[in-house]
Amino acid sequence: MTDKTSNAMWGGRFASGPDAIMEAINASIGFDRRMAAQDIAGSRAHAAMLAAQGIITDSDAEAIREGLLTILSEIEGGSFEFSTALEDIHMNVEARLKALIGAPAGRLHTARSRNDQVATDFRLWVRDQTDAAIEGVTALQKALLGQAEAGADWVMPGFTHLQTAQPVTWGHHMMAYVEMFGRDAARLRDARVRMNECPLGAAALAGTSFPIDREATAQALGFDRPMANSLDAVADRDFALEFLSAASICAMHLSRLAEELVIWSSAQFRFVAMSDRFSTGSSIMPQKKNPDAAELIRAKIGRILGATVALFTVMKGLPMTYGKDMQEDKEQVFDAADTLMLSLAAMEGMVRDMAARPENLRAAASSGFSTATDLADWLVRELGLPFREAHHVTGALVAKAEARGCDLPELTLAEMQEVHGEISEGVFSVLGVDNSVASRTCYGGTAPAQVRAQIARWRELLG
Ligand code: ARG
């Protein structure tokens, strides 16, 4: 077929074919060929159901089945010739089926429309990606758990405002990300439950007068049930928006972790050494080892969130039911899914390979007056000071240490007593970073015992 003849699928009322520009803006085969396997699975389920219901003959259904299997192997083998004139994956497959098996091919589209077909294919595709994303997130969580286990009691500075706040443990910091990615996986799982309903059988929009069995096709394609409203079935793209939204939040978490790796691997911090496998060099500065993968992951949120905003913008204000606008859904979701999968894999590799430097973590934790809160708490506990006053006294001690160019444990008892006469020798027991973290034993706190309990819980959950 060329663009000079009318379309064999819908050209009955057309005297001429489309303008080349029309064809260019209309065609989706350049990208929706990625849904070929899902399209063929949907058609196989539909044809089998049509035969079981006596709507087409068994022999036609068998010819269709065999033809579709041939097409699948042609596509997988790279010999299938995609045609832009045939617009999309649905019509490319159907035209090839006609060439292969002749007349029975024309019966496949009975009681079906491209509107329910594309909604079904796309759901199946997004469902696969949701499963793959959950797997990717889980693998990353396991890499983080490995890091947490190695350094459950390594002391490092905890930050607020990127200023040293209180000592925490490396394991605790790693486990914070395990929690975040755990919620990301849970969001994807929730979305999967909602998306797992089958649009097939909604036909163009109103359903069909043929005696189809929607339960059967839903079941054959692994859906929990058919969608209950045919208008909604062809019009809905919530499932894609939910996937993109969950992907965006996950990409945001990846971006935050990536930023920490960039900071931590810098010569100023030296908290971690990134492996050569996930670093690059500079073409001019021989000493450089750059955390390019982390920087790229830090940026990828832009594409994923961009896709999310793009699809929301496409969908807003669309009247019921299908509009060709909705063909703009796929490239965004494809790109976002590819980007998320690559980012997860790269982050998993980086986390698995990176080597924390416990001595540098400890040195950083021991500076910056990180145990000032412990000191204030001691004044409350031991001297009965109101916390506000203790805060003030501690502030004066910090100022004294700063003026002397030392940290809190280096102040002498006499110097401390100049600020508050009742301070006694016992105070030194809370000024060390190990005591500080070990004391934070409340549920969810940074004490190594708590961190190990959380690691064990997650090991159990992730298997
Ligand atoms: N390629 C189309 C899409 O992705 C398939 C559905 C076309 N439906 C129609 N009524 N023209 O949305």
Side-chain angles (χ1 to χ4, degrees), residues 78-99:
S79 65
F80 190 93
E81 274 184 40
F82 293 100
S83 151
T84 308
L86 288 166
E87 275 185 49
D88 56 26
I89 186 62
H90 324 294
M91 296 205 291
N92 269 267
V93 169
E94 196 181 322
R96 179 67 185 140
L97 189 64
K98 180 131 190 278

Side-chain angles (χ1 to χ4, degrees), residues 162 177 254-274 278 289-299 347 350 354:
L162 197 56
Y177 283 104
L254 285 168
S255 182
R256 293 183 76 168
L257 177 53
E259 166 69 347
E260 300 218 273
L261 298 185
V262 170
I263 295 173
W264 291 351
S265 61
S266 69
Q268 289 67 30
F269 268 73
R270 293 169 39 83
F271 280 9
V272 296
M274 305 305 291
F278 286 94
K289 185 168 159 189
N290 295 327
D292 288 32
E295 294 171 83
L296 287 162
I297 294 171
R298 186 171 63 185
M347 185 57 92
M350 269 191 300
M354 74 185 178

Side-chain angles (χ1 to χ4, degrees), residues 28 32 88 90 114-115 118 237 322 324 326-327 330:
S28 54
D32 67 12
D88 56 26
H90 324 294
R114 274 188 295 157
N115 296 350
V118 72
R237 292 294 180 272
Y322 177 83
K324 194 66 175 247
M326 288 156 72
Q327 182 167 286
K330 284 173 242 8

Side-chain angles (χ1 to χ4, degrees), residues 60-74:
D60 282 352
E62 184 50 26
I64 290 169
R65 193 184 77 85
E66 277 174 22
L68 289 171
L69 287 175
T70 303
I71 293 169
L72 185 61
S73 66
E74 286 175 355

